[in-house]
Amino acid sequence: MINTHDRILTPEHLLEDHTQLWKIVEQCRKTLPEGSVRRGLLANLLQTLLERLLDHFWQEENDGYFVDLIDQSPHLKNSIEELLQQHPTMVKQIIDLQNHVARATNQEDAWSVINQKFTGFLLLFQKHEAEETRLLQLAFGDDIGGND
């Protein structure tokens, strides 16, 4: 598992983490159409994504970045708390995807369900990241990412 818990989470680190997460998400998206023949690769990508998400969320929740954000802009507290509540949902979505990939046969309907589940994750992830960036911009007046 990737461990960056010993570093201070700065806007630059957050941008770097978002960039890496998006790269993995994009690799998963590109691999999905070939999932039945590249199941091992997709399983590995989903595991990497899960590890990255867990680390990223841990940093946001425990390294004080959002505490600093709330200190900077207390009026954003409820919005930030809503974002943090989405973390477990996204983790569960990836674990659910992993389970489906592990059990999937080569039948088209199995992969259709996996594609639908990935699309559901992707929509929440996009919304989450865009809202996170918006809140950071409101609090610090700085555009830290281009993936929104």
Side-chain angles (χ1 to χ4, degrees):
M1 182 171 188
I2 299 159
N3 183 349
T4 56
H5 297 190
D6 57 347
R7 73 175 186 195
I8 297 171
L9 190 61
T10 64
E12 293 79 21
H13 288 130
L14 193 63
L15 177 58
E16 178 185 328
D17 283 350
H18 286 186
T19 299
Q20 292 302 314
L21 284 168
W22 277 110
K23 284 180 182 178
I24 299 165
V25 167
E26 183 61 15
Q27 288 176 314
C28 289
R29 189 192 63 74
K30 287 180 177 178
T31 304
L32 273 171
E34 303 172 342
S36 62
V37 293
R38 300 184 78 187
R39 184 186 328 226
L41 174 60
L42 184 56
N44 288 339
L45 288 169
L46 289 171
Q47 182 60 37
T48 300
L49 179 58
L50 177 63
E51 290 173 5
R52 277 280 192 181
L53 279 175
L54 288 169
D55 184 63
H56 180 75
F57 293 161
W58 188 93
Q59 289 177 64
E60 289 181 348
E61 295 166 6
N62 298 295
D63 278 357
Y65 194 76
F66 281 105
V67 170
D68 293 343
L69 187 59
I70 291 169
D71 288 346
Q72 175 76 20
S73 302
H75 63 283
L76 299 177
K77 182 179 180 182
N78 290 339
S79 297
I80 292 167
E81 288 174 353
E82 286 177 25
L83 273 182
L84 294 175
Q85 290 173 5
Q86 292 174 353
H87 290 175
T89 301
M90 286 186 277
V91 168
K92 287 176 187 173
Q93 286 175 315
I94 295 300
I95 291 170
D96 187 43
L97 271 164
Q98 288 178 308
N99 291 333
H100 273 79
V101 168
R103 292 190 315 262
T105 63
N106 289 339
Q107 295 176 346
E108 192 173 311
D109 60 336
W111 290 94
S112 177
V113 169
I114 290 168
N115 276 297
Q116 289 172 0
K117 288 183 174 292
F118 184 79
T119 298
F121 163 78
L122 184 58
L123 291 173
L124 179 58
F125 184 69
Q126 288 171 328
K127 179 183 168 191
H128 179 87
E129 293 296 294
E131 180 64 7
E132 189 173 280
T133 299
R134 187 186 76 79
L135 292 175
L136 290 167
Q137 289 171 344
L138 285 173
F140 296 111
D142 187 18
D143 187 359
I144 65 156
N147 291 324
D148 50 345

